[in-house]
Amino acid sequence: MYVVKSPLSDTDLRTVSEALQGALVDLVDLSLVAKQVHWNVVGPRFRSVHLQLDEVVDVARTHSDTVAERASALGVSPDGRASTVAAGSGISPVPAGWVKDSDAVGALVAALGAVITRMRERVAATGDPDPVSQDIFIGITADLEKHHWMFQAENA
Ligand SMILES: [Fe+2]
């Protein structure tokens, strides 16, 4: 169904909408993984890791809304359904149950690293077709790389 007219050509829109949809899926899953670990972390560093994880949840939720609404603004329907997220996320599933604090940090280093790799690919892919979306991906990558740094420093 055609609702919102896109300012982009069909070819550019295809590239950019794939990037936005992929980012949406990764960020929704990142928020879910960070909450899962937030609830299940145990160990002497419980409090700092528990609180740090909610900062990641906030970042992931804020940016997921930004990329979804950017898709809408370009005339592409965003898909944040659970089944779509489960099928398309670049983050490996975390095991069920309690998570030792050092393993929790390791899980976030891995999850953020996976999302950052894909986000940088989106930065590269969207510069020409749509620098406005690219700017969003750049901002997201900067925030994710900040948290990636902090979690790596936690386990150093
Ligand atoms: Fe909480």
Side-chain angles (χ1 to χ4, degrees), residues 83-117:
S83 56
T84 304
V85 172
S89 171
I91 302 174
S92 300
V94 290
W98 305 116
V99 187
K100 185 108 183 72
D101 47 15
S102 55
D103 293 338
V105 172
L108 263 290
V109 169
L112 285 162
V115 177
I116 287 164
T117 299

Side-chain angles (χ1 to χ4, degrees), residues 13-30 60 63-64 67-68 71 76-81 84-91 111 114-123 126 137 140 144:
L13 185 60
R14 201 169 310 116
T15 302
V16 174
S17 62
E18 269 174 31
L20 289 165
Q21 177 60 35
L24 173 61
V25 160
D26 280 351
L27 290 165
V28 170
D29 198 28
L30 180 62
H63 286 316
S64 66
V67 297
V76 177
S77 163
D79 185 353
R81 296 174 296 173
T84 304
V85 172
S89 171
I91 302 174
V115 177
I116 287 164
T117 299
R118 284 154 64 100
M119 211 59 78
R120 278 187 168 273
E121 288 168 4
R122 292 173 190 125
V123 169
T126 53
F137 293 129
I140 294 171
L144 297 179

Side-chain angles (χ1 to χ4, degrees), residues 35 38-39 50 54:
K35 266 299 185 194
H38 169 85
W39 297 321
H50 177 75
D54 255 355

Side-chain angles (χ1 to χ4, degrees), residues 32-52:
L32 296 175
V33 164
K35 266 299 185 194
Q36 172 69 14
V37 181
H38 169 85
W39 297 321
N40 280 285
V41 63
V42 292
R45 292 149 66 200
F46 165 81
R47 182 126 186 104
S48 66
V49 175
H50 177 75
L51 296 177
Q52 195 179 351

